[in-house]
Amino acid sequence: MNIGKDLVAASATPLVLAILTEGDSYGYAILKRVSELSGGRLQWTDGMLYPVLHRLERLGCIEAHWEASPQGRRRRYYRITEPGRLHLAAQRRQWQVVDDVLRGAGLKLTPASIG
């Protein structure tokens, strides 16, 4: 199933922040986690992810730091901040309102209905 660009863009911020609540992560691992969480239905690219990460960093929702991987390669890791957690909580409330409205209109957001 092809999910529209607008819906992917709207869900990117809360999804990235939610993934970072699991722990610090780097770009490629975030991309893999999105795919894993969606059962392969969302396939983000670097070109979609990094602008989101940079925007969240500018907003103070995440912080970035460099670390060496076990193979010695340096990776930029991202960590959610307290303002990021508050932003995620607000985003979740907003998504809940949208879900409630869609359900009220007879549309259910379930894996079967979107996949």
Side-chain angles (χ1 to χ4, degrees):
M1 167 180 222
N2 186 17
I3 298 175
K5 285 176 24 178
D6 291 341
L7 190 54
V8 170
S11 63
T13 292
L15 188 49
V16 167
L17 291 173
I19 288 169
L20 292 177
T21 65
E22 299 173 348
D24 294 6
S25 193
Y26 58 96
Y28 180 71
I30 294 170
L31 292 172
K32 284 180 46 177
R33 186 71 176 129
V34 167
S35 180
E36 178 183 295
L37 288 169
S38 69
R41 291 174 292 197
L42 291 177
Q43 296 293 323
W44 288 4
T45 63
D46 292 355
M48 188 256 147
L49 175 63
Y50 285 101
V52 173
L53 290 171
H54 295 152
R55 183 175 49 78
L56 289 171
E57 191 174 9
R58 279 193 312 275
L59 293 172
C61 293
I62 63 174
E63 297 173 338
H65 63 279
W66 290 96
E67 277 185 36
S69 71
Q71 297 79 21
R73 199 169 144 210
R74 287 175 35 98
R75 291 183 177 144
R76 190 165 167 95
Y77 281 79
Y78 299 90
R79 167 185 305 130
I80 191 168
T81 62
E82 190 55 33
R85 290 179 191 281
L86 295 172
H87 189 72
L88 175 59
Q91 291 268 305
R92 283 182 167 149
R93 288 190 299 273
Q94 292 172 31
W95 276 97
Q96 187 60 56
V97 169
V98 171
D99 182 52
D100 291 347
V101 171
L102 288 172
R103 288 175 188 273
L107 299 172
K108 296 199 188 302
L109 291 180
T110 63
S113 69
I114 60 174

